[in-house]
Every structure is written in structure tokens, then in C-alpha cells.
Amino acid sequence: MGEGRKRDLVSIDDLSTEEIMELFRHADGFRADLRAWTHLCQGTIMATLFFEASTRTRLSFESAMLRLGGGKVTAAEASSTSQSKGESLADTVRVVGGGYADILVVRHPRDGAARVAAKFASVPVINGGDGAHEHPTQTLCDLYTLWREKGKLEGLDVVLCGDLRYSRTIHSFAYALARFKANIVTLPYPGFEMPDAVTDRLARDFGLKVDKARVTDLPGIAGGDNSAAYLTASKPHQLALFTQLTPHQVGHIDAIYMTRAQRERHAGESTEGYPRISREFLRSDIMKDARVMHPLPRTDEIDYEVDSDPRSVYFQQAELGVPMRMALMAFLLGKIELSSKPPESFATDPGLLGDVAALNCQNERCITRTEQVSYLAPEFRLLRETPPALSCAYCSVTTEAAFVGSRGSLRYHRYNAAEARRIKPANRAYFATEEQAQAAGYSALGRAGRESS
Ligand code: NCD
């Protein structure tokens, strides 16, 4: 563990691949006898702050801490906390992490909320699901299950199915699968495709290439005329799914990961014709070795008669949540040591742009769009200078800036103007619109009122 600096798990990227594999081995140890570890975290208290519904995540965290010998305090609804009186998330986690508890698990309906909690709490924060953003501990359970089933994680062929837009479990799982050089087929319910922010990041950080496909390539899945996309590893050392196959024909599947429609995040859209896994689908040849996965809760996207099929592993994913979360918490609390290094991003400066003038995250669901901006200034990472693209440090959604200003002269220009290019990087302020630039005190004429060139 990095000397003097707490570790949080907000994104699956907060753990290195080697650390993940080490945690699996610890989880195996815990699982061998779940009742033998009550000495490990004696005297430790975990707080579960769940501002959104949960069964598995909260209860498995609480069970995990009790099995480690620690205790728990819990707030299971926003209405039962001072959030309902208008308290900010920052103040809540400062208080709970300031002596009430040694580790916090936070679930929240807003994208990016877990990063806010991690920033303001003095103790480790675990993201138990923040809006449609990420759910990294579900991914640890998913990977752990798949690793135990397949004996490896490298180069698997995985289909992600259902509401890919709002399923945070899908987003974290896709980032992790990409690290293991998986070939991913996305099979969304139409209109609920993988968000651009996720596919862009998969392409940028892992070299995955998006390729359109047809759902008829996966015969037998109910739900009709869905459109599919392949995210195919494009780096030469990565495995490609279709090298030996007719283009756009899935020949083999290691796992199909189904998700429910995240209705609580929809604007009342119908989900008629939502894909569904049936016993008939599992008879297809390509499904021979496939594991059927689901983070649960299931609504009706997997037929109940599929439960008894040995390839169905969704209840196992839930069961493995306890030893997996025991390993994670024991690690974050410094009760077990890992020999692996943390991810590079933990050690290096993440290159945040805190003062980006009036640029707002374009994601309406982002926590920075609701919490009082007076304490939560938007923060971004610059992804690309031309045209400027900035990724929100909280919810990871990309916002494009059409205008660039100079903090020195307080003049702004269209990003591709020669004047904009002359502004030193450290001096740049970004704006999506001219109105934003003007509201921040910038003008096209500049301070001296000279004619803008
Ligand atoms: C998931 C969640 O909350 O994102 N549930 C879970 O934690 N296992 C999936 C879901 O609600 O659909």
C-alpha cells in the first residue's frame, strides 16, 4: 500500500491487474473457511451509506465485515440521513469517516458520486455503484467467478447484453475485460447502446475497435431486431475474435453477461422486446462453453428454467461476493498486504485540470451538476487538444470545448483559431459555448478592448 496515502476503489482502474489476481487468491483463502477470520478486522467499523436500493451489495459487504470480526453502521436510504435535509455528500462522508467508521461503502444515484466521497472522506471509500457510472466490486465478483470457471481471464470472448447504456456493472466489467484482452460483443437493447464515453475509453486506453454487427449472428436470443457491435482487440498482440471466422459471425462464446433494464434511470421508455435468454438459446452450438452471467436482480431477461443449467453462474457471482469483499476490505484497511504494485495512475499525477473556467460536465446525471458547485468545482482530464475533449474527473463523461480562452488576456477564441493555438497549455481555459466564456468574464475583444483578430 502506498505509504501514507489511502487507497479507494471508485473505478475498477483503481486496482492494478496484478492486485486483482492477488485478491482472488486471498478470496479463495477466505472462502475455504468463511468463519475462520474474525480476528482480522476486530475493532474495525464499516459504514454502508446506500442512497439507492440494494440487496446483494450492501448485505454482502456487511456480512463480509462481520465475518472479518468488525462491526458496521448503516444508512440504507437517503431519506433516513441528513441528505434529505440538504446536507452535501461531502459533509456526510467527512462526518461518518471522521471517527464513526474506518471504511465507507457508498451507493448513490448520481454518476461520479463515489469520487466525491473518496475526495472528502479521510478513510478508504468503496464505490458500491454510482449512478450509471461504475460498480467495481461487482466486477471483482464477476471476474473472480469467470476466473474460477474458465481457469483464466485472458482473451475470452464475452457478450454483453441488455441495457448497456445505464448498467454500471457493464461499464466496469468492460474496462476490466479489455485489460485482459477480451473480445467483447455488445448486444444492446436498441436505444440502450454502450455510451460513447465507454467505447471511446475502450478504444483510447485498450485499442479496442468498434465494429457493427447483426443480432442474427447470435441466433435464438429473444428480443428481435437488436443491433450488435463487436469491440475487437485491434493491437497486434491481442487476440482477434474473427480471424478464423466468417466476418461478423460469432463462433464461440465464453460468457454472456445479461443485465436488466435499469428502469429507474430511464425516462419512461418502453422495454418491449428486451432480449431474453431461454433454454433454446443455450442449445445453440456457440453457447456450448458459455457461462451465463447476471449481476442480479433479474427481472425477466433470463428464463427461470435456465437456472438449473450448469452454465448458469449468476447465483455463484452473488455468493462469491462475500469472500471477494472480505479480501478487498482487508486489503484497503491494511490488514493484508499485497506484493503487487498499485496501478501507475495511483503514483503519477493524474493531470487534473481543476480551474477550467465555466466548463460544465455535459452529463446531466453527473454529481457536479447537482451538488453545490461552490464546494465541488468541475475537474477534468484533457484527453485531446484539437478539438479539445475533456473527461470529467468524477463521472468520466467527455465534454467537448469549442472555445479556448487565455487566463492572461481573458480573451477567448474558437479552438481552431491561430490565436487559440498560441495560448500556453497551462494558461488555457475551456468553454463549450461563447455564452459560457462571457459568463466567466472572457471576451472576444480581450481586456484592453482591442478588436479581436
Ligand atoms: C446491480 C447494480 O446495482 O448496479 N446490482 C448489483 O449490485 N448486483 C445491477 C442492477 O441493479 O441491475
Side-chain angles (χ1 to χ4, degrees):
M1 215 163 134
E3 224 37 65
R5 224 180 117 192
K6 69 166 177 141
R7 291 285 298 270
D8 303 295
L9 181 66
V10 170
S11 162
I12 191 66
D13 291 349
D14 293 337
L15 287 169
S16 68
T17 308
E18 298 71 30
E19 285 177 327
I20 292 175
M21 299 311 295
E22 254 190 272
L23 286 175
F24 290 171
R25 283 182 209 103
H26 281 285
D28 273 348
F30 288 125
R31 189 168 176 268
D33 185 357
L34 283 175
R35 290 169 181 79
W37 307 97
T38 48
H39 57 283
L40 208 59
C41 289
Q42 227 164 36
T44 302
I45 296 178
M46 169 195 71
T48 43
L49 299 174
F50 275 53
F51 303 120
E52 206 183 48
S54 168
T55 304
R56 267 152 298 272
T57 304
R58 184 168 65 84
L59 295 186
S60 64
F61 263 112
E62 294 183 359
S63 168
M65 184 47 88
L66 295 173
R67 292 206 183 282
L68 289 169
K72 54 111 182 166
V73 290
T74 188
E77 285 169 74
S79 60
S80 70
T81 70
S82 289
Q83 294 254 307
S84 65
K85 300 181 193 163
E87 183 170 60
S88 70
L89 180 60
D91 284 356
T92 305
V93 299
R94 263 193 289 218
V95 169
V96 181
Y100 297 6
D102 307 298
I103 189 164
L104 311 182
V105 187
V106 179
R107 171 170 284 193
H108 197 282
R110 306 298 301 197
D111 300 9
R115 189 64 78 197
V116 174
K119 182 171 167 161
F120 287 93
S122 55
V123 298
V125 168
I126 299 174
N127 181 2
D130 58 337
H133 180 222
E134 285 214 41
H135 193 344
T137 66
Q138 180 63 45
T139 293
L140 288 177
C141 303
D142 300 339
L143 290 174
Y144 182 39
T145 308
L146 206 48
W147 176 69
R148 290 170 46 88
E149 287 290 313
K150 293 279 170 179
K152 62 164 191 170
L153 289 172
E154 289 73 21
L156 298 177
D157 300 322
V158 181
V159 179
L160 305 179
C161 194
D163 180 351
L164 307 188
R165 185 158 169 214
Y166 293 114
S167 290
R168 53 199 175 196
T169 60
I170 288 279
H171 306 156
S172 296
F173 193 42
Y175 298 138
L177 288 171
R179 269 208 245 176
F180 290 100
K181 307 189 193 332
N183 294 300
I184 304 168
V185 180
T186 64
L187 187 58
Y189 178 62
F192 296 84
E193 288 78 17
M194 197 81 117
D196 289 345
V198 177
T199 45
D200 287 353
R201 183 161 152 204
L202 288 170
R204 193 176 60 240
D205 296 350
F206 305 102
L208 289 194
K209 169 168 96 44
V210 182
D211 202 357
K212 274 271 167 212
R214 296 157 314 193
V215 76
T216 46
D217 300 337
L218 287 174
I221 195 155
D225 58 344
N226 300 346
S227 65
Y230 300 122
L231 297 175
T232 313
S234 64
K235 287 186 185 156
H237 62 276
Q238 291 180 328
L239 296 167
L241 181 55
F242 306 111
T243 45
Q244 306 299 320
L245 300 160
T246 324
H248 295 187
Q249 192 185 340
V250 182
H252 171 264
I253 293 174
D254 286 300
I256 180 160
Y257 192 101
M258 180 57 103
T259 52
R260 74 180 170 94
Q262 304 282 303
R263 289 194 179 84
E264 66 274 37
R265 302 184 214 294
H266 296 178
E269 295 101 324
S270 135
T271 48
E272 211 187 302
Y274 197 85
R276 180 165 182 170
I277 295 179
S278 63
R279 202 140 64 178
E280 186 218 329
F281 175 60
L282 292 184
R283 275 193 212 111
S284 135
D285 212 34
I286 54 169
M287 291 298 291
K288 201 159 37 85
D289 303 319
R291 298 299 181 274
V292 182
M293 303 180 76
H294 195 303
L296 303 177
R298 139 176 71 181
T299 41
D300 50 10
E301 54 289 334
I302 299 181
D303 287 352
Y304 275 76
E305 53 181 27
V306 170
D307 296 358
S308 56
D309 190 291
R311 289 165 292 182
S312 298
V313 297
Y314 27 94
F315 290 111
Q316 216 168 308
Q317 287 165 259
E319 182 206 322
L320 294 175
V322 173
M324 190 65 244
R325 290 177 169 115
M326 287 169 81
L328 175 69
M329 285 195 287
F331 164 58
L332 294 178
L333 287 162
K335 306 294 184 189
I336 56 173
E337 296 247 334
L338 302 185
S339 55
S340 307
K341 287 207 184 88
E344 261 174 48
S345 56
F346 182 70
T348 57
D349 174 14
L352 281 189
L353 301 174
D355 180 13
V356 284
L359 192 68
N360 281 326
C361 178
Q362 67 145 23
N363 175 12
E364 279 172 16
R365 312 171 36 80
C366 178
I367 184 99
T368 59
R369 300 281 297 265
T370 51
E371 291 278 331
Q372 302 92 312
V373 263
S374 57
Y375 91 83
L376 201 58
E379 289 186 37
F380 293 90
R381 286 187 179 84
L382 187 66
L383 298 178
R384 191 184 59 215
E385 193 62 78
T386 337
L390 298 99
S391 151
C392 174
Y394 297 97
C395 74
S396 319
V397 168
T398 306
T399 295
E400 299 219 335
F403 297 90
V404 181
S406 159
R407 293 179 209 283
S409 68
L410 294 186
R411 291 175 71 177
Y412 70 86
H413 312 273
R414 199 162 267 288
Y415 77 87
N416 51 1
E419 293 89 337
R421 286 201 291 271
R422 280 200 290 270
I423 305 169
K424 288 203 192 81
N427 243 353
R428 288 185 188 158
Y430 298 88
F431 308 99
T433 61
E434 289 199 70
E435 290 71 38
Q436 275 184 4
Q438 287 159 9
Y442 285 67
S443 79
L445 296 175
R447 265 184 183 152
R450 283 172 284 128
E451 192 56 39
S452 176
S453 48

